[in-house]
Coordinates of all heavy atoms in Angstrom, one line a residue:
M1 N 29.3 5.6 38.7 CA 29.8 5.2 37.4 C 28.7 4.6 36.5 O 28.1 3.7 37.1 CB 31.0 4.3 37.6 CG 31.7 3.9 36.3 SD 32.8 2.4 36.7 CE 33.4 2.3 35.1
K2 N 28.5 5.1 35.4 CA 27.5 4.4 34.4 C 28.4 3.5 33.4 O 29.5 3.9 33.0 CB 26.8 5.5 33.7 CG 25.8 6.2 34.6 CD 25.0 7.1 33.8 CE 23.9 7.8 34.6 NZ 23.3 9.0 33.9
Y3 N 27.9 2.5 33.2 CA 28.5 1.5 32.2 C 27.5 0.9 31.4 O 26.4 0.6 31.7 CB 29.0 0.3 33.3 CG 30.2 -0.4 32.6 CD1 31.6 0.0 32.9 CD2 30.0 -1.6 31.9 CE1 32.6 -0.5 32.3 CE2 31.2 -2.2 31.4 CZ 32.4 -1.8 31.6 OH 33.5 -2.4 31.0
P4 N 27.9 0.7 30.1 CA 27.0 0.2 29.0 C 26.5 -1.2 29.3 O 27.4 -2.0 29.9 CB 27.7 0.4 27.6 CG 29.1 0.5 28.1 CD 29.1 1.1 29.5
K5 N 25.4 -1.6 28.9 CA 24.9 -3.0 29.1 C 25.6 -4.0 28.1 O 25.6 -5.2 28.3 CB 23.4 -3.1 29.0 CG 22.7 -2.7 30.3 CD 21.2 -2.9 30.2 CE 20.6 -2.5 31.5 NZ 19.2 -2.4 31.4
I6 N 25.9 -3.5 27.0 CA 26.6 -4.3 25.9 C 27.9 -3.6 25.4 O 27.9 -2.4 25.2 CB 25.6 -4.4 24.8 CG1 24.4 -5.4 25.0 CG2 26.3 -5.1 23.6 CD1 23.2 -5.2 24.1
I7 N 28.9 -4.4 25.6 CA 30.2 -3.9 25.2 C 30.9 -4.8 24.2 O 30.5 -6.0 24.1 CB 31.2 -3.6 26.3 CG1 31.4 -4.9 27.1 CG2 30.7 -2.5 27.2 CD1 32.6 -4.8 28.1
R8 N 31.8 -4.3 23.4 CA 32.5 -5.0 22.4 C 33.9 -5.3 22.8 O 34.7 -4.2 23.1 CB 32.5 -4.4 21.1 CG 32.9 -5.3 19.9 CD 32.7 -4.5 18.6 NE 33.5 -5.2 17.6 CZ 33.3 -6.3 16.9 NH1 32.1 -6.9 17.3 NH2 34.1 -6.9 16.1
T9 N 34.3 -6.5 23.3 CA 35.6 -6.7 23.9 C 36.2 -8.0 23.5 O 35.3 -8.9 22.9 CB 35.5 -6.5 25.4 OG1 36.9 -6.5 26.0 CG2 34.7 -7.6 26.1
Y10 N 37.4 -8.4 23.9 CA 38.1 -9.6 23.5 C 37.4 -10.8 24.3 O 37.3 -10.7 25.4 CB 39.5 -9.5 23.8 CG 40.2 -10.6 23.3 CD1 40.7 -10.9 22.0 CD2 40.8 -11.5 24.3 CE1 41.4 -12.0 21.7 CE2 41.5 -12.6 23.9 CZ 41.8 -12.8 22.6 OH 42.5 -14.0 22.1
C11 N 37.2 -11.9 23.5 CA 36.7 -13.1 24.1 C 37.8 -14.1 24.0 O 38.2 -14.4 22.9 CB 35.5 -13.7 23.5 SG 34.9 -15.2 24.0
K12 N 38.2 -14.6 25.2 CA 39.5 -15.6 25.1 C 39.1 -17.0 24.6 O 39.9 -17.8 24.3 CB 40.0 -15.6 26.6 CG 39.1 -16.3 27.6 CD 39.8 -16.4 29.0 CE 39.0 -17.0 30.0 NZ 39.6 -17.0 31.3
Y13 N 37.7 -17.3 24.5 CA 37.4 -18.5 23.9 C 37.2 -18.4 22.4 O 37.6 -19.3 21.7 CB 35.9 -19.0 24.5 CG 36.1 -19.1 26.1 CD1 35.5 -18.1 26.9 CD2 36.7 -20.1 26.7 CE1 35.6 -18.2 28.3 CE2 36.9 -20.3 27.9 CZ 36.3 -19.4 28.8 OH 36.4 -19.5 30.2
C14 N 36.6 -17.3 22.0 CA 36.6 -17.1 20.5 C 37.9 -16.6 19.9 O 38.1 -16.6 18.7 CB 35.4 -16.1 20.2 SG 33.7 -16.6 20.8
K15 N 38.7 -16.0 20.7 CA 40.0 -15.5 20.3 C 39.8 -14.2 19.5 O 40.5 -14.1 18.4 CB 40.9 -16.5 19.8 CG 41.4 -17.5 20.8 CD 42.3 -18.5 20.3 CE 42.8 -19.3 21.4 NZ 43.6 -20.5 20.9
K16 N 38.7 -13.6 19.6 CA 38.5 -12.2 18.9 C 37.6 -11.4 19.6 O 36.9 -11.7 20.6 CB 38.1 -12.7 17.5 CG 36.7 -13.3 17.4 CD 36.3 -13.5 16.0 CE 34.9 -14.3 16.0 NZ 34.5 -14.8 14.8
H17 N 37.3 -10.1 19.0 CA 36.5 -9.2 19.7 C 35.1 -9.6 19.3 O 34.8 -9.8 18.1 CB 36.7 -7.7 19.3 CG 37.8 -7.1 20.1 ND1 39.1 -7.5 20.3 CD2 37.7 -6.0 20.9 CE1 39.7 -6.7 21.1 NE2 38.9 -5.9 21.4
T18 N 34.3 -9.7 20.3 CA 32.8 -10.0 20.1 C 32.0 -9.2 21.1 O 32.5 -8.6 21.9 CB 32.5 -11.6 20.4 OG1 32.9 -11.9 21.8 CG2 33.2 -12.5 19.4
E19 N 30.5 -9.2 20.9 CA 29.7 -8.4 21.8 C 29.5 -9.1 23.1 O 29.3 -10.5 22.9 CB 28.4 -8.2 21.0 CG 28.6 -7.0 20.0 CD 27.2 -6.3 19.8 OE1 26.1 -7.1 19.8 OE2 27.1 -5.2 19.4
H20 N 29.5 -8.5 24.2 CA 29.3 -9.2 25.5 C 28.2 -8.4 26.2 O 28.1 -7.1 26.2 CB 30.5 -9.0 26.3 CG 31.7 -10.0 25.9 ND1 32.3 -9.9 24.8 CD2 32.2 -11.1 26.5 CE1 33.3 -10.8 24.6 NE2 33.2 -11.6 25.6
S21 N 27.3 -9.1 26.9 CA 26.4 -8.5 27.7 C 26.9 -8.5 29.1 O 27.6 -9.3 29.6 CB 25.1 -9.4 27.7 OG 25.2 -10.7 28.2
V22 N 26.7 -7.3 29.8 CA 27.3 -7.1 31.1 C 26.3 -7.1 32.2 O 25.3 -6.6 32.0 CB 27.8 -5.6 31.1 CG1 28.6 -5.3 32.4 CG2 28.9 -5.4 30.0
S23 N 26.6 -7.7 33.3 CA 26.0 -7.8 34.5 C 26.8 -7.7 35.6 O 28.1 -8.0 35.4 CB 25.0 -9.0 34.5 OG 25.8 -10.1 34.7
Q24 N 26.3 -7.3 36.8 CA 27.2 -7.1 38.0 C 27.3 -8.4 38.8 O 26.2 -9.1 39.0 CB 26.6 -6.1 38.8 CG 27.5 -5.5 39.8 CD 26.9 -4.4 40.8 OE1 26.1 -3.8 40.4 NE2 27.5 -4.2 41.9
A25 N 28.5 -8.9 38.9 CA 28.6 -10.1 39.7 C 28.4 -10.0 41.1 O 28.8 -9.0 41.7 CB 30.1 -10.7 39.4
R26 N 27.6 -10.9 41.7 CA 27.3 -10.7 43.2 C 27.7 -12.0 43.9 O 27.8 -13.1 43.2 CB 25.8 -10.6 43.3 CG 25.2 -9.2 42.9 CD 23.9 -8.9 43.4 NE 23.7 -7.4 43.1 CZ 23.2 -7.1 41.9 NH1 22.9 -7.8 41.0 NH2 22.9 -5.7 41.9
V27 N 28.1 -11.8 45.1 CA 28.5 -13.0 45.9 C 27.2 -13.8 46.3 O 26.1 -13.3 46.7 CB 29.1 -12.5 47.3 CG1 29.4 -13.7 48.2 CG2 30.3 -11.6 47.0
R28 N 27.3 -15.0 45.9 CA 26.1 -16.0 46.1 C 26.4 -16.7 47.5 O 27.4 -17.1 47.9 CB 26.1 -17.0 45.1 CG 25.6 -16.4 43.7 CD 25.7 -17.4 42.6 NE 25.3 -16.6 41.3 CZ 25.6 -17.2 40.1 NH1 26.3 -18.2 40.0 NH2 25.4 -16.5 39.1
E29 N 25.3 -16.8 48.1 CA 25.3 -17.4 49.5 C 25.5 -19.0 49.3 O 25.2 -19.6 48.3 CB 23.9 -17.4 50.1 CG 23.7 -15.9 50.7 CD 24.5 -15.7 52.0 OE1 24.6 -16.6 52.8 OE2 25.1 -14.6 52.0
R30 N 26.4 -19.5 50.1 CA 26.8 -20.8 50.1 C 25.7 -21.7 50.9 O 25.6 -21.6 52.0 CB 28.1 -21.1 50.9 CG 28.8 -22.3 50.4 CD 30.1 -22.5 51.2 NE 31.3 -21.8 50.8 CZ 32.2 -22.5 50.2 NH1 32.0 -23.7 49.7 NH2 33.2 -21.7 49.9
G31 N 25.0 -22.4 50.1 CA 23.9 -23.2 50.6 C 24.4 -24.6 51.2 O 25.4 -25.0 50.9
S32 N 23.5 -25.1 52.1 CA 23.9 -26.4 52.7 C 23.7 -27.6 51.8 O 24.2 -28.6 51.9 CB 23.2 -26.7 54.0 OG 21.8 -26.6 53.8
L33 N 22.9 -27.4 50.7 CA 22.6 -28.7 49.9 C 23.0 -28.3 48.4 O 22.9 -29.2 47.6 CB 21.2 -29.0 49.9 CG 20.6 -29.5 51.2 CD1 19.1 -29.6 51.1 CD2 21.2 -30.9 51.5
K34 N 23.6 -27.1 48.2 CA 23.8 -26.6 46.9 C 25.2 -27.3 46.4 O 26.0 -27.9 47.2 CB 24.0 -25.2 46.7 CG 22.5 -24.6 46.8 CD 22.6 -23.2 46.7 CE 21.2 -22.6 46.7 NZ 21.3 -21.1 46.6
K35 N 25.5 -27.1 45.0 CA 26.7 -27.7 44.4 C 28.0 -27.0 45.1 O 29.1 -27.8 45.2 CB 26.8 -27.3 42.9 CG 27.7 -28.1 42.2 CD 27.5 -28.0 40.7 CE 28.6 -28.8 39.9 NZ 28.5 -28.4 38.5
G36 N 27.9 -25.8 45.5 CA 29.0 -25.0 46.2 C 29.1 -25.2 47.7 O 29.7 -24.4 48.5
S37 N 28.4 -26.2 48.2 CA 28.3 -26.4 49.8 C 29.7 -26.9 50.3 O 30.4 -27.6 49.6 CB 27.2 -27.3 50.0 OG 27.4 -28.7 49.6
I38 N 29.9 -26.7 51.6 CA 31.2 -27.2 52.2 C 31.1 -28.6 52.4 O 32.0 -29.3 52.2 CB 31.2 -26.4 53.5 CG1 31.7 -25.0 53.3 CG2 32.3 -27.1 54.5 CD1 31.8 -24.1 54.6
E39 N 29.9 -29.2 52.7 CA 29.7 -30.7 52.8 C 30.1 -31.3 51.5 O 30.9 -32.4 51.6 CB 28.2 -30.9 53.1 CG 28.0 -32.3 53.6 CD 28.5 -32.6 54.9 OE1 28.9 -31.8 55.7 OE2 28.9 -33.8 55.1
R40 N 29.7 -30.8 50.4 CA 30.1 -31.4 49.1 C 31.6 -31.4 48.9 O 32.2 -32.3 48.4 CB 29.4 -30.7 47.9 CG 29.6 -31.4 46.6 CD 28.7 -30.5 45.5 NE 29.5 -30.3 44.4 CZ 29.5 -31.2 43.3 NH1 28.7 -32.2 43.4 NH2 30.3 -30.9 42.2
A41 N 32.2 -30.3 49.3 CA 33.7 -30.0 49.0 C 34.3 -31.0 49.9 O 35.4 -31.6 49.4 CB 34.0 -28.6 49.4
K42 N 33.9 -31.3 51.1 CA 34.7 -32.2 52.1 C 34.4 -33.6 51.4 O 35.4 -34.5 51.6 CB 34.1 -32.0 53.5 CG 34.6 -30.9 54.1 CD 34.3 -30.8 55.6 CE 35.0 -29.7 56.2 NZ 34.6 -29.4 57.6
K43 N 33.3 -34.0 50.9 CA 33.1 -35.3 50.3 C 34.0 -35.6 49.2 O 34.4 -36.7 48.9 CB 31.7 -35.5 50.0 CG 30.8 -36.0 51.2 CD 29.3 -36.1 50.8 CE 28.6 -36.6 51.9 NZ 27.1 -36.2 51.7
R44 N 34.4 -34.4 48.5 CA 35.2 -34.5 47.4 C 36.7 -34.5 47.7 O 37.5 -34.7 46.9 CB 34.9 -33.5 46.4 CG 33.5 -33.5 45.8 CD 33.3 -32.4 44.7 NE 34.1 -32.8 43.5 CZ 34.8 -31.9 42.8 NH1 34.5 -30.7 43.0 NH2 35.3 -32.3 41.7
G45 N 36.9 -34.4 49.1 CA 38.3 -34.4 49.6 C 39.0 -33.1 49.5 O 40.2 -33.0 49.7
L46 N 38.2 -32.0 49.3 CA 38.8 -30.7 49.3 C 39.0 -30.2 50.7 O 38.3 -30.7 51.7 CB 38.0 -29.7 48.5 CG 37.9 -30.2 46.9 CD1 36.8 -29.2 46.3 CD2 39.1 -30.2 46.1
G47 N 39.7 -29.1 50.9 CA 39.9 -28.7 52.2 C 40.7 -29.3 53.2 O 40.6 -29.1 54.4
R48 N 41.3 -30.3 52.8 CA 42.3 -31.1 53.6 C 43.8 -30.6 53.5 O 44.1 -30.0 52.6 CB 42.2 -32.6 53.3 CG 40.8 -33.1 53.2 CD 40.6 -33.7 54.5 NE 39.2 -34.4 54.5 CZ 38.3 -33.9 55.4 NH1 38.4 -32.8 56.3 NH2 37.1 -34.5 55.4
G49 N 44.5 -30.9 54.6 CA 45.9 -30.6 54.5 C 46.3 -29.3 55.2 O 45.5 -28.9 56.2
Y50 N 47.3 -28.7 54.9 CA 47.8 -27.5 55.7 C 46.9 -26.2 55.3 O 46.8 -25.9 54.0 CB 49.3 -27.4 55.3 CG 49.8 -26.2 56.0 CD1 50.2 -26.3 57.4 CD2 50.1 -25.0 55.4 CE1 50.7 -25.3 58.2 CE2 50.7 -23.9 56.2 CZ 50.9 -24.1 57.6 OH 51.5 -23.0 58.2
G51 N 46.3 -25.5 56.2 CA 45.6 -24.3 55.9 C 44.2 -24.7 55.3 O 44.0 -25.7 54.7
N52 N 43.3 -23.7 55.5 CA 42.1 -23.9 55.0 C 41.7 -23.0 53.7 O 40.6 -23.1 53.2 CB 41.0 -23.7 55.9 CG 40.9 -22.2 56.4 OD1 41.7 -21.3 56.0 ND2 40.1 -21.8 57.4
L53 N 42.7 -22.3 53.1 CA 42.6 -21.6 51.9 C 41.6 -20.5 52.1 O 40.9 -20.0 51.0 CB 42.4 -22.5 50.8 CG 43.3 -23.5 50.5 CD1 42.9 -24.5 49.4 CD2 44.7 -23.0 50.1
G54 N 41.2 -20.2 53.2 CA 40.2 -19.1 53.5 C 38.7 -19.5 52.9 O 37.9 -18.7 52.8
R55 N 38.5 -20.8 52.7 CA 37.2 -21.2 52.4 C 36.6 -22.2 53.1 O 35.4 -22.3 53.2 CB 37.3 -21.8 50.9 CG 37.4 -20.8 49.9 CD 37.6 -21.4 48.5 NE 39.0 -21.6 48.2 CZ 39.5 -22.0 47.1 NH1 38.8 -22.5 46.3 NH2 40.8 -22.1 47.0
Y56 N 37.4 -23.1 53.9 CA 36.8 -24.2 54.6 C 37.0 -24.1 56.1 O 37.7 -23.2 56.5 CB 37.5 -25.5 54.2 CG 37.5 -25.6 52.6 CD1 38.7 -25.4 51.9 CD2 36.2 -26.0 52.0 CE1 38.6 -25.6 50.6 CE2 36.4 -26.0 50.7 CZ 37.4 -25.9 49.9 OH 37.5 -25.9 48.4
G57 N 36.3 -24.8 56.9 CA 36.4 -24.6 58.3 C 35.5 -23.5 59.0 O 34.7 -22.9 58.2
S58 N 35.7 -23.4 60.3 CA 34.8 -22.4 61.0 C 35.3 -21.0 60.7 O 36.5 -20.7 60.4 CB 34.8 -22.8 62.4 OG 36.2 -22.6 62.9
K59 N 34.3 -20.1 61.0 CA 34.6 -18.7 60.9 C 35.4 -18.2 62.0 O 35.1 -18.6 63.1 CB 33.3 -17.9 60.7 CG 32.6 -18.2 59.5 CD 32.9 -17.3 58.4 CE 32.4 -17.8 56.9 NZ 31.2 -18.6 56.8
P60 N 36.4 -17.3 61.9 CA 37.1 -16.7 63.0 C 36.2 -15.9 63.9 O 35.3 -15.3 63.5 CB 38.2 -15.9 62.4 CG 37.8 -15.5 61.0 CD 36.7 -16.7 60.6
A61 N 36.6 -15.8 65.2 CA 35.7 -15.2 66.3 C 35.9 -13.6 66.0 O 35.0 -12.9 66.5 CB 36.3 -15.5 67.7
I62 N 37.0 -13.3 65.3 CA 37.2 -11.8 65.1 C 36.3 -11.1 64.2 O 36.1 -9.9 64.2 CB 38.6 -11.7 64.4 CG1 39.2 -10.3 64.8 CG2 38.8 -12.0 63.1 CD1 40.7 -10.1 64.4
S63 N 35.5 -11.9 63.4 CA 34.5 -11.4 62.5 C 33.4 -10.6 63.2 O 32.8 -9.9 62.5 CB 34.0 -12.4 61.6 OG 33.1 -13.4 62.3
K64 N 33.2 -11.0 64.4 CA 32.0 -10.3 65.2 C 32.3 -8.8 65.5 O 31.3 -8.1 65.4 CB 31.8 -11.0 66.5 CG 31.0 -12.3 66.2 CD 30.8 -13.2 67.5 CE 30.2 -14.4 67.1 NZ 30.1 -15.5 68.2
W65 N 33.5 -8.3 65.8 CA 33.7 -7.0 66.0 C 34.7 -6.4 65.1 O 35.2 -5.3 65.5 CB 34.2 -6.9 67.6 CG 35.4 -7.7 68.0 CD1 35.4 -9.1 68.3 CD2 36.8 -7.5 67.6 NE1 36.7 -9.5 68.4 CE2 37.6 -8.5 68.0 CE3 37.5 -6.3 67.1 CZ2 39.0 -8.5 67.9 CZ3 38.9 -6.3 67.1 CH2 39.6 -7.5 67.5
K66 N 34.9 -6.8 64.0 CA 35.7 -6.3 62.9 C 35.0 -4.8 62.5 O 33.9 -4.9 62.3 CB 35.9 -7.2 61.8 CG 37.1 -7.0 61.0 CD 37.3 -8.1 60.0 CE 38.7 -8.0 59.4 NZ 38.9 -9.1 58.4
R67 N 35.9 -3.9 62.4 CA 35.4 -2.6 61.9 C 34.8 -2.7 60.6 O 35.5 -3.1 59.6 CB 36.6 -1.6 61.9 CG 36.1 -0.1 61.8 CD 37.2 0.8 62.0 NE 38.4 0.4 61.3 CZ 39.5 1.2 61.2 NH1 39.5 2.4 62.1 NH2 40.5 0.9 60.6
T68 N 33.7 -2.2 60.4 CA 33.0 -2.2 59.1 C 32.5 -0.6 58.8 O 32.6 0.2 59.6 CB 31.6 -3.0 59.1 OG1 30.8 -2.5 60.1 CG2 32.0 -4.4 59.4
G69 N 32.4 -0.5 57.5 CA 31.8 0.8 57.0 C 33.0 1.7 56.9 O 32.7 3.1 56.9
S70 N 34.2 1.4 57.0 CA 35.4 2.4 56.9 C 35.6 2.9 55.6 O 36.2 3.9 55.3 CB 36.6 1.8 57.6 OG 37.0 0.6 56.9
K71 N 35.3 2.1 54.7 CA 35.4 2.5 53.2 C 34.1 2.7 52.5 O 33.1 1.9 52.8 CB 36.1 1.4 52.4 CG 37.6 1.4 52.7 CD 38.5 0.7 51.7 CE 39.8 0.8 51.9 NZ 40.4 -0.1 53.1
S72 N 33.9 3.8 51.8 CA 32.6 4.2 51.3 C 32.6 3.8 49.8 O 31.5 3.8 49.1 CB 32.3 5.7 51.3 OG 33.4 6.4 50.7
S73 N 33.7 3.3 49.2 CA 33.7 2.9 47.7 C 34.2 1.5 47.7 O 34.8 1.1 48.6 CB 34.5 3.9 46.9 OG 35.8 3.9 47.4
K74 N 33.9 0.8 46.6 CA 34.5 -0.5 46.4 C 34.5 -0.8 44.9 O 34.1 -0.2 44.1 CB 33.5 -1.5 47.1 CG 32.1 -1.5 46.5 CD 31.3 -2.6 47.3 CE 29.8 -2.6 47.0 NZ 29.1 -3.5 47.7
R75 N 35.3 -1.8 44.7 CA 35.6 -2.3 43.4 C 34.5 -3.2 42.9 O 33.9 -4.1 43.6 CB 36.9 -3.1 43.2 CG 38.1 -2.3 43.1 CD 39.3 -3.2 43.2 NE 40.5 -2.5 43.5 CZ 41.3 -1.8 42.7 NH1 41.1 -1.7 41.5 NH2 42.3 -1.1 43.0
I76 N 34.0 -3.0 41.6 CA 33.0 -3.8 41.1 C 33.5 -4.9 40.2 O 34.4 -4.6 39.5 CB 32.0 -2.8 40.3 CG1 31.6 -1.6 41.1 CG2 30.7 -3.6 39.8 CD1 30.7 -1.9 42.2
D77 N 32.8 -6.1 40.5 CA 33.0 -7.2 39.6 C 32.0 -7.2 38.5 O 30.8 -7.2 38.8 CB 33.1 -8.5 40.3 CG 34.3 -8.7 41.1 OD1 35.3 -7.9 40.9 OD2 34.4 -9.6 41.9
L78 N 32.4 -7.3 37.3 CA 31.5 -7.4 36.1 C 31.5 -8.7 35.5 O 32.5 -9.3 35.3 CB 32.0 -6.2 35.0 CG 31.9 -4.8 35.4 CD1 32.4 -4.1 34.2 CD2 30.4 -4.4 35.8
R79 N 30.3 -9.2 35.3 CA 30.1 -10.6 34.6 C 29.9 -10.3 33.1 O 28.7 -9.9 32.8 CB 29.1 -11.4 35.3 CG 29.0 -12.8 34.9 CD 27.9 -13.5 35.6 NE 28.2 -13.6 37.1 CZ 28.8 -14.6 37.7 NH1 29.3 -15.6 37.1 NH2 28.9 -14.5 39.0
L80 N 30.9 -10.7 32.2 CA 30.8 -10.4 30.8 C 30.4 -11.8 30.2 O 31.1 -12.9 30.2 CB 32.0 -9.9 30.3 CG 32.6 -8.7 30.9 CD1 34.0 -8.4 30.2 CD2 31.6 -7.4 30.6
K81 N 29.2 -11.8 29.4 CA 28.8 -13.0 28.7 C 28.9 -12.8 27.2 O 28.3 -12.0 26.7 CB 27.4 -13.4 29.1 CG 27.1 -14.7 28.8 CD 25.6 -15.1 29.3 CE 25.2 -16.5 29.1 NZ 23.9 -16.7 29.4
C82 N 29.6 -13.7 26.6 CA 29.9 -13.6 25.1 C 28.6 -13.9 24.4 O 28.0 -14.9 24.8 CB 30.9 -14.4 24.7 SG 31.3 -14.4 23.0
K83 N 28.1 -13.2 23.5 CA 27.0 -13.4 22.7 C 27.2 -14.6 21.7 O 26.2 -15.1 21.1 CB 26.5 -12.1 22.0 CG 25.9 -11.2 23.1 CD 25.0 -10.2 22.5 CE 24.2 -9.4 23.5 NZ 23.4 -8.4 22.9
V84 N 28.4 -14.9 21.3 CA 28.7 -15.9 20.3 C 28.8 -17.3 20.9 O 28.1 -18.1 20.4 CB 29.9 -15.5 19.5 CG1 30.3 -16.6 18.5 CG2 29.8 -14.2 18.8
C85 N 29.6 -17.4 21.9 CA 29.9 -18.7 22.5 C 29.2 -18.9 23.8 O 29.1 -19.9 24.4 CB 31.4 -18.9 22.7 SG 32.2 -17.9 23.8
N86 N 28.5 -17.9 24.3 CA 27.7 -17.9 25.6 C 28.5 -18.2 26.8 O 28.1 -18.5 27.9 CB 26.6 -18.9 25.5 CG 25.3 -18.2 25.2 OD1 25.1 -17.0 25.3 ND2 24.2 -19.0 24.9
K87 N 29.9 -18.1 26.7 CA 30.7 -18.3 27.9 C 30.9 -17.0 28.6 O 30.8 -15.9 28.0 CB 32.0 -18.9 27.6 CG 31.7 -20.4 27.0 CD 33.1 -21.1 27.0 CE 33.0 -22.4 26.5 NZ 34.1 -23.4 26.6
S88 N 31.0 -17.1 29.9 CA 31.2 -15.8 30.7 C 32.5 -15.7 31.4 O 33.0 -16.7 31.8 CB 30.0 -15.7 31.6 OG 30.0 -16.7 32.6
T89 N 32.9 -14.5 31.6 CA 34.2 -14.2 32.4 C 33.8 -13.0 33.4 O 32.8 -12.4 33.2 CB 35.2 -13.7 31.5 OG1 34.9 -12.7 30.5 CG2 35.8 -14.9 30.6
I90 N 34.7 -12.9 34.4 CA 34.5 -12.0 35.3 C 35.6 -11.1 35.3 O 36.8 -11.4 35.2 CB 34.4 -12.6 36.8 CG1 33.1 -13.2 36.9 CG2 34.4 -11.5 37.8 CD1 32.7 -13.8 38.2
R91 N 35.3 -9.7 35.2 CA 36.3 -8.6 35.1 C 36.1 -7.7 36.2 O 35.1 -7.3 36.5 CB 36.2 -7.9 33.8 CG 37.1 -6.7 33.6 CD 36.7 -5.9 32.4 NE 37.1 -6.5 31.1 CZ 36.8 -6.1 29.9 NH1 36.2 -4.9 29.9 NH2 37.2 -6.6 28.9
T92 N 37.3 -7.4 37.0 CA 37.2 -6.5 38.1 C 37.5 -5.1 37.6 O 38.4 -4.9 36.7 CB 38.3 -6.8 39.1 OG1 38.2 -8.3 39.5 CG2 38.2 -6.1 40.3
S93 N 36.7 -4.1 38.0 CA 36.9 -2.8 37.5 C 38.2 -2.2 38.1 O 38.6 -2.5 39.3 CB 35.7 -1.9 38.0 OG 35.9 -1.7 39.5
S94 N 38.8 -1.4 37.3 CA 40.1 -0.9 37.6 C 40.2 0.2 38.8 O 41.1 0.4 39.4 CB 40.9 -0.4 36.4 OG 40.1 0.6 35.8
S95 N 39.1 0.9 38.8 CA 38.9 2.1 39.7 C 37.8 1.7 40.8 O 37.0 1.1 40.5 CB 38.6 3.3 39.0 OG 37.5 3.2 38.3
R96 N 38.0 2.4 42.0 CA 37.0 2.3 42.9 C 35.8 3.2 42.7 O 36.1 4.3 42.4 CB 37.6 2.5 44.3 CG 38.9 1.5 44.6 CD 39.4 1.9 46.0 NE 38.3 1.5 47.0 CZ 38.4 0.4 47.7 NH1 39.4 -0.4 47.6 NH2 37.5 0.2 48.6
V97 N 34.6 2.8 42.9 CA 33.5 3.6 42.6 C 32.5 3.5 43.9 O 32.4 2.7 44.6 CB 32.6 3.2 41.4 CG1 33.6 3.4 40.1 CG2 32.3 1.8 41.4
K98 N 31.8 4.7 44.1 CA 30.8 4.9 45.0 C 29.5 4.3 44.6 O 28.8 3.6 45.3 CB 30.6 6.2 45.6 CG 31.7 6.7 46.6 CD 31.5 8.0 47.1 CE 32.4 8.4 48.1 NZ 32.1 9.8 48.7
K99 N 29.1 4.7 43.4 CA 27.8 4.3 42.9 C 28.1 3.6 41.5 O 29.0 4.0 40.8 CB 27.0 5.6 42.5 CG 26.1 6.0 43.8 CD 25.2 7.2 43.2 CE 24.6 7.8 44.4 NZ 23.7 9.0 43.9
F100 N 27.3 2.6 41.3 CA 27.5 1.9 40.0 C 26.1 1.6 39.3 O 25.1 1.2 40.0 CB 28.2 0.7 40.2 CG 28.5 -0.2 39.0 CD1 29.5 0.3 38.0 CD2 27.6 -1.3 38.6 CE1 29.7 -0.4 36.9 CE2 27.8 -1.9 37.4 CZ 29.0 -1.6 36.7
S101 N 26.0 1.8 38.0 CA 24.8 1.6 37.5 C 25.0 1.1 36.0 O 25.9 1.7 35.3 CB 23.9 2.7 37.5 OG 24.3 3.9 36.7
L102 N 24.2 0.2 35.5 CA 24.3 -0.2 34.2 C 23.2 0.6 33.3 O 22.2 0.7 33.8 CB 24.0 -1.6 34.0 CG 25.2 -2.6 34.6 CD1 24.6 -4.0 34.7 CD2 26.4 -2.6 33.8
E103 N 23.6 1.0 32.2 CA 22.6 1.8 31.2 C 22.5 1.3 29.9 O 23.4 0.5 29.5 CB 22.9 3.2 31.3 CG 24.3 3.6 30.7 CD 24.5 5.1 30.6 OE1 23.7 5.8 31.3 OE2 25.4 5.5 29.9
Ligands
LIG1 ZN1 33.1 -16.0 22.8

């Protein structure tokens, strides 16, 4: 799938159609000293109570032998940045794609 680098779409902050620059959103690693670290979350009192919301605590043992590679396509997350207010939103693609490129 080829996707344009600049699209004109609705911005929920400006409340009108504006130009947005498109980039592919990637999963960022959770560092031990970064703002999104688990240590920081625990100090702020997050991850307490019933359930870990899939974010906190130790990883399950099942992850070591879980079947991988069964799907050859995936949904792409796009990071759209408004050129007027410089705020960004993430949009998930509606269809699954094997190849993705911005042009
Ligand atoms: Zn905007």
